[in-house]
Amino acid sequence: EVPSRHVAVRYVCARGFDPDYLAGVFGVGLCVGTNDARNARLIGRLYIPINCDGKLVGWQGRYIGEKDWKSTCICKYYTMPGMHKRLILYNCDSAKKYNDAVVVEGVMDAWRIGPQAIALLGHELSFAQRGRLLAWKDGHLAIVLDNDAEAKAKDICRDLRSLFGNNIFCVSLPAGCDPADMAR
């Protein structure tokens, strides 16, 4: 339970998200402490659990607020040490309940799309992630990466077309947009 005036609640609300929805659907919370000194950088960040095949396999901690990420030493996302992002897809377990899925870059993009969204945790599709996407071989797959990664999205579509045929498509976003910034 985080008070409604807490900076974390104000931040997610300012981004157009409902904190109760994020907690209930995606398990998002606020890290207020840790028993592991190696993870002290997670304290004060949004805690984003990452499950795969019904098991917690890692987490990310989202810095609360915005910075000029290229000119600061603060990481926007702090990923659990030892977690191999290239082996997993964020929200994959929930998205498997749907015949169709939407592939996005990051967790906030997935939150905006909803429970049928899958995040690559970046803009590259690894071989292991490609294999996990086969769960939607009989459905449709939309690739919706941030606007600045449109060429990567097209590459991913081309790569997966042999597996998905015409059941895969790319969605282009307006300049400067990513799914998390748009209305649901």
Side-chain angles (χ1 to χ4, degrees):
E1 292 296 314
V2 180
S4 62
R5 290 184 296 162
H6 191 281
V7 66
V9 173
R10 289 195 329 260
Y11 172 71
V12 296
C13 288
R15 295 286 311 257
F17 295 107
D18 177 347
D20 294 328
Y21 172 79
L22 295 181
V25 174
F26 296 99
V28 175
L30 175 68
C31 181
V32 294
T34 177
N35 293 333
D36 189 340
R38 295 174 301 165
N39 298 326
R41 290 182 15 196
L42 182 60
I43 297 172
R45 290 175 174 258
L46 294 177
Y47 169 77
I48 304 155
I50 300 175
N51 299 294
C52 189
D53 299 325
K55 295 180 180 146
L56 179 68
V57 295
W59 46 259
Q60 284 194 321
R62 171 58 160 93
Y63 180 84
I64 297 169
E66 299 299 328
K67 299 270 186 203
D68 178 0
W69 302 112
K70 292 181 181 173
S71 68
T72 183
C73 62
I74 297 172
C75 298
K76 184 192 291 190
Y77 287 95
Y78 173 56
T79 300
M80 183 183 93
M83 184 181 88
H84 300 287
K85 295 189 298 185
R86 69 184 182 282
L87 300 178
I88 56 178
L89 295 167
Y90 174 72
N91 198 46
C92 187
D93 286 356
S94 174
K96 283 180 184 174
K97 298 173 188 167
Y98 298 86
N99 193 43
D100 304 322
V102 180
V103 177
V104 296
E105 283 187 46
V107 297
M108 286 189 156
D109 300 325
W111 299 346
R112 180 68 70 214
I113 300 292
Q116 71 281 17
I118 306 159
L120 299 174
L121 303 174
H123 59 266
E124 300 284 341
L125 177 68
S126 72
F127 184 76
Q129 290 171 325
R130 185 179 194 264
R132 289 191 176 279
L133 290 177
L134 291 176
W136 290 274
K137 193 168 191 271
D138 296 327
H140 295 88
L141 204 59
I143 310 297
V144 188
L145 302 187
D146 296 358
N147 174 265
D148 62 354
E150 186 173 358
K152 287 283 185 191
K154 288 179 180 177
D155 289 344
I156 291 170
C157 281
R158 235 182 331 274
D159 177 46
L160 295 175
R161 185 131 354 250
S162 64
L163 299 172
F164 288 89
N166 291 328
N167 291 342
I168 186 168
F169 55 96
C170 285
V171 176
S172 297
L173 298 178
C177 286
D178 66 50
D181 295 331
M182 302 182 80
R184 187 159 185 213

